[in-house]
Structure formats: C-alpha cells, structure tokens
Amino acid sequence: MTSDPNRILVLDYGSQYTQLIARRVRELQVYCEIHPYDAADEVIARFAPKGIILSGGPASVDEEGAPGLPDSVLATGIPVLGICYGCQLLTHALGGRVVASNTREFGRATIGVGDGAGPLFHQVSEGTHVVWMSHSDRIAEVAPGFRVTATTDNGVPAAIAHESRPLFGVQFHPEVVHTPSGRELLASFLFGVCGCEPTWTVGNFIHDTIARLRAEVGPDEQVICGLSGGVDSVVAATLVHRAIGDRLHCIFVDNGVLRKGEAHQVVATFRDRLHLPLRAVDARDRFLGELSGVTDPEQKRKIIGRVFVEVFEEAARDVAGAKYLAQGTLYPDVIESVSFKGPSATIKSHHNVGGLPEKMKLSLIEPLRELFKDEVRQVGLALDLPEDVVWRQPFPGPGLAIRVLGEVTAEAVALLQEADAIVREELAALPEAREIWQSFAVLLPVRSVGVMGDSRTYENVCAIRAVSSVDGMTADWYPVPYATLGRISNRIINEVRGINRVVYDISSKPPATIEWE
C-alpha cells in the first residue's frame, strides 16, 4: 500500500465498470484500490481512505442474497459515493425505496442538473448533460435526509445527496467515457468532498515501489524475473533491478508461440540496449507438446501458465537463494481473472494469474499489479526506457496460442507468424500508427474455397484485428484505410502459402474482447 495519505477505496459490487472507476480516480492523481464489498470492515481500518466509492453491480437490492452495505461504510463518517447499484444500496439501507422499473435504461440518457445541486456537482454546470445508464431498477422514494439533485427526462432520480452527511449517489456511470461530465463529477467528490490532493504521481510510485521491494526482498535473497519483451515485464524488471541490483536474474522463455523474429529481438534488446542480466531458454518443443490436441482457450491459457512457471522453477535451481518470481501482472489482469464474492465476473484467465499452480516454489513479486497499461508506460518513460520498448503493443502471455483458433501446431503457428508480420509491418507504416492499441492476425479454424492460377484452392481464412483503446478495458475497432487493408490482404494471400481469404474484425469491446480467445 502506498504511503500517500490521499487514498480512495472502491468497494466492488460486481460491475464490469469497477476497474474503470479506479482508472478515472487515478487519472485525477489520487491513489485508490479496489476491494470486495464484504472485506470493507478490515480494509477501511487498515487502508484509512479519505473517501469510499460503491460500484455498480448486477443484483437488485431487495432480492435474496443481494450484496449489502457493511456497517463500517457509514460508521466512520467517511464520504461515500454510490454509483448505480451503489446508489440504490445507499437508498435501500437508509430507509428509501427501490423498485423494478417498467422502463429499463441502458445506454445514453439525458439528465437535468438544477441550481443548488450540491458539492457533487460543483464542477458540473447547471443544465442538461448526457450520461451513461445501465440499470433496470430505480429509486421510487429517497431515504430520509436525502434530496434529489438531478433527474432524468422522465423525472426519475438520477442523483441524490444527504442534507447533512457526506453521502451521495448517482444512478448513472460517471466513470465511462460516454458520460462527458463524469470526470468533473468525480473531481468534485475527490477534491471538494473528500479533501484529497492530487499527489499520486509517477515519481511517487517509482519511489514507493523501489523502497517496498528493498524492504520485501531480504539482503541475500535472489529474484527471478520473466521477460517477455513487452513493456509490462520490462518496467517490472527495471524497477526490481533498481531496487536490488545484480540479485535480479532475468529469464526469457521462447515458448514457441511468439511472433516472427521476436525471440532474437527480445534477447538483443535486453542484453545490448537495456543491459539487464538475461538468460534465454528454448522451451518451444515443451510448450507445443503440452498444447497438442488442446482446443479450449481456457485450457490453453492454463497450460501455458503452468508450463511457464515450471520452466522458471527449473531455471531457478541454478540461482542460489532464489526465492521470488517477478512478473508484470497489471490491474486489468487481476480484475479480469479473479472472481471474489460479489465482484466482476470472470471474463478469461490471465496466464500470470489464473494459471498459477496452487503450490509454487517461488513467491510472486508483482510491482505493477495496481497499475493500468497507460500508467505503466508513464512509469517506463520516467525510468528513461527506450520509446520503442515503452510503446510496444500489448501481446498476450499465451501469445499466438490464442490467435490460432483450435489446436495449436507448429505448422499453424508458422503460418500465422508470417501473416501477422505483414499486418504489423503495414500498420506500423501508417502516420497514425500510435493510435492503434493493438493489431494482429488471427488464424481461423475454417477453410475457404478460392481460385489461384485457374486452379481451385481450399485453404485457411485469416482475420485481421486492429483496435484503439486507452487502457484495454474497452476498445473500438480501428478504421484502417481501405487501401491499407487491401494491401495487407493482397500480400498475405500472395506471400503466405496456405491462406486464401482475409477478413477484417469490426467488433468493439464490449461486447467482444480484444483477443478472439
């Protein structure tokens, strides 16, 4: 936990937007953590937050087994902001009435903010505002002591505030980009209501993390660090190296499902440019052997996670005093992988999280566990890492194994590597290339009839994926120019023997995910 006294606690009630609340608070340079609602008693006492935010969630407040409001949330007098389900929960717990609505509200809506709306709207102008709704219940009667501070077009309460206590609720989601005034509303809560200062900075994070690592790792203990070549592992390794120096031992594993030429590139980057101690391990046959016959994407992830850890444990035997495994796990990895009682539903397992065996011989160090991707990049720049490393596109831990749909074979991986290299080369040449968060090729488990040189072909179909995003939690498909798409398709079909059809993925996240598996 940071030593910064400006801390906000986000209690998770199951919303898929919970992590975005934390993201927006961090953007305002205030430190926050997400914890399950039923851990509130312990966390509030230990964390000492200046404010508490109750997330949304899928439940109805009056249904059997619905998550409740811990007594500790209100007992301390700490300011509270309830969002969506959190707003309804405040109302229900304090004597108001929440009912099922005949008209559900999902998507954009308009609310009216009147004069004297209170401190929560201090930075939000009077008048109408577009917001993002996602609920089927509504507040029929506010709790005693509360008043309505904003309403929807049909007069339903959209925001409430207590007359004398620092308790607030909004029925909409200020944390999503579709609520344009959401940032100002959150800022009003953080700074005006909670009295926070914007002290959560990259420099403070680096200082606190290095100090914590030095305290955590004993003077004679060694750390093994997995380097993938991505910004996450690079920044994690750099932080650990600055904390303990040569007691860090970096290992790069070629798992057989990397992109074309990536193994050579990673080794050259870390040894020659970053001067980090590195040992390269060729485990291609081992990973591909374990993946043989496996088609389920969750099984692929878990197998790769398990073998990944096994390789590191074996490599650690050569390092006397090795006790820790450092990984570049990020906050989205944790949120998307772990389901606590009540919080966000599991979307997929991350190889750094969901695939770990129950009994590990190495303890985990995850210096970036509380950061989002763009925060990691800011840290990397502050550490003076090369820009091409800092701005490298995200690459999933399971690699091409989850971009080869179906069984992963050496032949399929080789085919995809060639197509993917063309996609990356062409898109990297665009002037606006940095606007693309992630771009890659996917080998589909279908074959297509084609014609080449007056002969019939029956070959593989390749999908192209390119998205724009800020933090990877939501993403829009990127409008790649038609000329570029045409050139990519032409090159893949002509240069990659075994693919005769190319399609472009125009789905966004949500409802899709960035990766196909």
Side-chain angles (χ1 to χ4, degrees), residues 12-315:
D12 187 4
Y13 282 90
S15 172
Q16 292 300 326
Y17 296 141
T18 299
Q19 61 271 28
L20 291 180
I21 300 174
R23 182 67 195 88
R24 302 308 171 222
V25 173
R26 298 276 190 87
E27 283 181 352
L28 293 165
Q29 293 187 306
V30 176
Y31 181 76
C32 69
E33 289 185 4
I34 299 173
H35 290 276
Y37 75 93
D38 53 0
D41 294 348
E42 182 273 330
V43 174
I44 290 174
R46 171 179 55 82
F47 192 57
K50 285 192 172 183
I52 298 173
I53 299 178
L54 312 178
S55 83
S60 293
V61 293
D62 57 355
E63 69 183 19
E64 184 177 354
L69 185 67
D71 293 338
S72 56
V73 172
L74 301 178
T76 60
I78 297 171
V80 177
L81 170 61
I83 295 176
C84 197
Y85 179 82
C87 176
Q88 297 168 5
L89 187 60
L90 274 177
T91 300
H92 179 75
L94 294 174
R97 190 163 62 94
V98 178
V99 299
S101 176
N102 293 327
T103 303
R104 298 184 300 173
E105 289 186 301
F106 293 95
R108 288 180 174 85
T110 302
I111 66 168
V113 178
D115 185 28
L120 193 62
F121 291 91
H122 177 69
Q123 296 189 34
V124 179
S125 62
E126 180 183 347
T128 59
H129 293 269
V130 174
V131 298
W132 187 263
M133 295 283 193
S134 181
H135 67 98
S136 56
D137 296 344
R138 65 179 177 85
I139 297 173
E141 183 179 336
V142 297
F146 280 82
R147 66 186 180 94
V148 176
T149 56
T151 59
T152 62
D153 288 342
N154 54 7
V156 174
I160 59 174
H162 197 278
E163 294 283 5
S164 59
R165 303 170 64 184
L167 305 177
F168 306 87
V170 292
Q171 186 58 69
F172 54 90
H173 289 273
E175 69 273 24
V176 302
V177 295
H178 307 296
T179 300
S181 58
R183 178 185 176 90
E184 287 74 22
L185 186 145
L186 289 173
S188 295
F189 178 71
L190 299 177
F191 306 126
V193 175
C194 300
C196 291
E197 297 290 337
T199 53
W200 171 245
T201 65
V202 169
N204 288 344
F205 170 80
I206 292 173
H207 178 272
D208 289 351
T209 300
I210 291 175
R212 186 175 70 250
L213 290 170
R214 285 173 177 163
E216 182 178 353
V217 180
D220 298 320
E221 294 172 343
Q222 312 291 310
V223 177
I224 305 292
C225 182
L227 287 179
S228 66
V231 62
D232 306 337
S233 65
V234 177
V235 172
T238 302
L239 287 169
V240 176
H241 189 253
R242 295 196 180 183
I244 66 170
D246 292 341
R247 290 185 289 125
L248 171 69
H249 305 268
C250 297
I251 297 176
F252 167 70
V253 176
D254 185 351
N255 59 16
V257 287
L258 300 175
R259 291 172 288 197
K260 181 179 180 181
E262 192 159 28
H264 173 76
Q265 179 185 9
V266 169
V267 172
T269 296
F270 290 112
R271 285 181 178 169
D272 302 336
R273 298 175 64 193
L274 302 181
H275 307 294
L276 291 175
L278 178 67
R279 173 185 170 189
V281 178
D282 185 351
R284 289 175 293 179
D285 293 342
R286 181 169 175 176
F287 278 89
L288 290 173
E290 293 272 3
L291 290 168
S292 178
V294 177
T295 59
D296 180 76
E298 277 294 285
Q299 288 301 312
K300 292 180 186 178
R301 290 175 179 271
K302 291 181 183 297
I303 287 170
I304 290 175
R306 172 178 56 79
V307 178
F308 171 83
V309 173
E310 290 173 357
V311 169
F312 271 79
E313 287 183 327
E314 293 168 6

Side-chain angles (χ1 to χ4, degrees), residues 448-466:
S448 167
V449 173
V451 57
M452 292 183 182
D454 297 326
S455 298
R456 177 185 184 274
T457 62
Y458 189 53
E459 295 179 339
N460 295 277
V461 179
C462 171
I464 301 171
R465 181 75 156 142

Side-chain angles (χ1 to χ4, degrees), residues 308-501:
F308 171 83
V309 173
E310 290 173 357
V311 169
F312 271 79
E313 287 183 327
E314 293 168 6
R317 296 171 189 164
D318 298 330
V319 181
K323 184 177 179 180
Y324 297 97
L325 171 64
Q327 291 187 157
T329 308
L330 304 189
Y331 220 171
D333 303 333
V334 177
I335 296 300
E336 288 194 346
S337 300
V338 182
S339 286
F340 305 98
K341 180 181 178 182
S344 312
T346 298
I347 305 298
K348 61 186 178 182
S349 296
H350 187 272
H351 83 293
N352 282 351
V353 182
L356 295 178
E358 294 182 1
K359 295 183 179 179
M360 255 188 77
K361 297 177 182 177
L362 297 173
S363 300
L364 278 179
I365 288 180
E366 297 171 310
L368 309 179
R369 188 181 178 89
E370 306 300 329
L371 297 188
F372 292 91
K373 176 71 75 171
D374 57 325
E375 291 179 311
V376 174
R377 287 197 169 112
Q378 293 171 23
V379 172
L381 293 173
L383 291 170
D384 293 325
L385 296 178
E387 283 208 6
D388 63 311
V389 174
V390 171
W391 290 102
R392 182 179 183 263
Q393 288 188 4
F395 186 61
L400 299 184
I402 56 170
R403 293 177 181 172
V404 172
L405 275 58
E407 182 181 5
V408 181
T409 64
E411 294 74 20
V413 170
L415 197 66
L416 181 57
Q417 284 176 330
E418 295 299 326
D420 181 75
I422 292 172
V423 172
R424 291 188 292 122
E425 179 184 336
E426 291 291 342
L427 294 184
L430 292 175
E432 64 274 20
R434 194 167 284 186
E435 295 178 8
I436 300 176
W437 169 267
Q438 228 169 326
S439 57
F440 52 88
V442 181
L443 191 64
L444 305 187
V446 293
R447 302 181 75 186
S448 167
V449 173
V451 57
M452 292 183 182
D454 297 326
S455 298
R456 177 185 184 274
T457 62
Y458 189 53
E459 295 179 339
N460 295 277
V461 179
C462 171
I464 301 171
R465 181 75 156 142
V467 299
S468 58
S469 180
V470 174
D471 48 34
M473 304 313 303
T474 60
D476 291 324
W477 62 276
Y478 189 79
V480 176
Y482 288 155
T484 303
L485 287 175
R487 191 163 53 250
I488 291 173
S489 176
N490 187 63
R491 285 192 59 189
I492 290 176
I493 292 172
N494 284 318
E495 298 176 25
V496 183
R497 186 176 297 275
I499 294 176
N500 70 352
R501 190 178 297 270

